[in-house]
Amino acid sequence: MSGERELVIVSLYPRDMNIYGDRGNVLALTRRATAHGFTPRVVDVNPGDPLPEQVDIVIGGGGQDSGQGRVAVDLLARGDAIRALASDGTPMLVICGLYQLFGHRFLTHEGEELTGIGVLDVETRGGGERMIGNIVVESDEFGEIIGFENHSGDTVLGPGSAPLGRVLQGAGNNPRDEHEGACTGNVIGSYLHGSLLPKNPAIADFLIGEAARRRHGSFVPAEIDDTTTARARAAARRRPR
């Protein structure tokens, strides 16, 4: 039956928020979902586009401040719909710029305030220090997470979100608290580019698994050979910042 094993992946604002290879997260997720026996269908949602009736996973990337400004108004207008999906357990991964806009607000370095949709309990200020380089994070749920950060946003978590993990190498949310990212329910925000999912299949499997359980009632993961991924992770981990 058509759609019996389908998973609808919404790629949020790929036209404006697709910097440092964040589109690779969508590609990795589709291939990983296929390997687990599902039929992924990607729907690009840019400003003005409607959300599809069925949403199983939401993926969003980063962009320049100008790109954030272009999507911020549209995101705010559809905030109720996205908050409802998040409250219902829809798994989401938002990177860098959209991570900031999924919080309460982003105050740019120039003093412009962009209102977020409050899915994550975070606030961000644009700072004068750029945090750039390879980053390694230890997560209780996902183990060691490896990526690349390039941002000047200084993000602080409130009590409604837990950090994605503890920084072992790099900066993370800010230079002070040794935390990276934020999680509320099944929503993950992070500054890790790289792209994140190709080098961190545990996070991809979490998104797919939660989506499959919500829509199809169960998730039995396939055995996937991650030898190449392990080599890529090891090489990235050895590189200096």
Side-chain angles (χ1 to χ4, degrees):
M1 182 183 296
S2 176
E4 191 172 286
R5 297 282 287 175
E6 180 188 64
L7 291 177
V8 178
I9 302 168
V10 169
S11 178
L12 199 56
Y13 307 128
R15 192 168 60 209
D16 293 296
M17 307 298 282
N18 178 27
I19 200 168
Y20 308 129
D22 286 333
R23 182 70 173 185
N25 288 326
V26 176
L27 297 175
L29 200 60
T30 58
R31 293 185 182 183
R32 194 87 181 173
T34 300
H36 284 304
F38 297 96
T39 302
R41 178 166 64 92
V42 177
V43 179
D44 288 353
V45 175
N46 288 298
D49 296 337
L51 286 169
E53 290 186 10
Q54 179 67 43
V55 178
D56 297 312
I57 302 174
V58 175
I59 297 286
Q64 305 289 354
D65 286 358
S66 58
Q68 283 179 268
R70 283 191 293 271
V71 305
V73 174
D74 184 86
L75 181 64
L76 201 59
R78 64 174 90 238
D80 286 345
I82 294 178
R83 283 189 292 270
L85 287 169
S87 296
D88 195 44
T90 303
M92 305 182 185
L93 173 67
V94 285
I95 303 295
C96 201
L98 278 180
Y99 168 31
Q100 296 167 349
L101 291 178
F102 265 54
H104 299 298
R105 65 171 187 156
F106 171 47
L107 186 64
T108 72
H109 191 54
E110 291 74 28
E112 179 185 4
E113 182 172 330
L114 301 179
T115 302
I117 59 173
V119 170
L120 296 168
D121 187 13
V122 305
E123 291 197 1
T124 304
R125 288 179 174 268
E129 177 183 352
R130 192 146 201 94
M131 292 162 270
I132 180 169
N134 295 301
I135 177 171
V136 180
V137 176
E138 183 63 32
S139 164
D140 290 340
E141 183 167 4
F142 303 114
E144 193 171 78
I145 303 171
I146 294 175
F148 182 87
E149 60 182 343
N150 187 353
H151 65 98
S152 58
D154 187 304
T155 298
V156 177
L157 274 62
S161 285
L164 174 60
R166 180 175 62 87
V167 176
L168 303 180
Q169 171 187 310
N173 288 329
N174 59 64
R176 302 175 303 280
D177 63 19
E178 298 183 343
H179 290 157
E180 206 294 312
C183 301
T184 297
N186 290 335
V187 181
I188 299 172
S190 174
Y191 277 116
L192 273 63
H193 298 284
S195 306
L196 174 63
L197 293 184
K199 290 198 292 290
N200 297 280
I203 300 177
D205 286 350
F206 165 79
L207 297 169
I208 295 165
E210 291 300 319
R213 281 185 282 268
R214 288 184 70 255
R215 182 164 181 187
H216 301 295
S218 64
F219 174 62
V220 180
E223 292 187 13
I224 301 174
D225 184 356
D226 287 324
T227 302
T228 301
T229 300
R231 290 172 179 166
R233 286 168 56 84
R237 199 187 195 291
R238 288 193 301 268
R239 290 177 182 171
R241 283 178 62 78

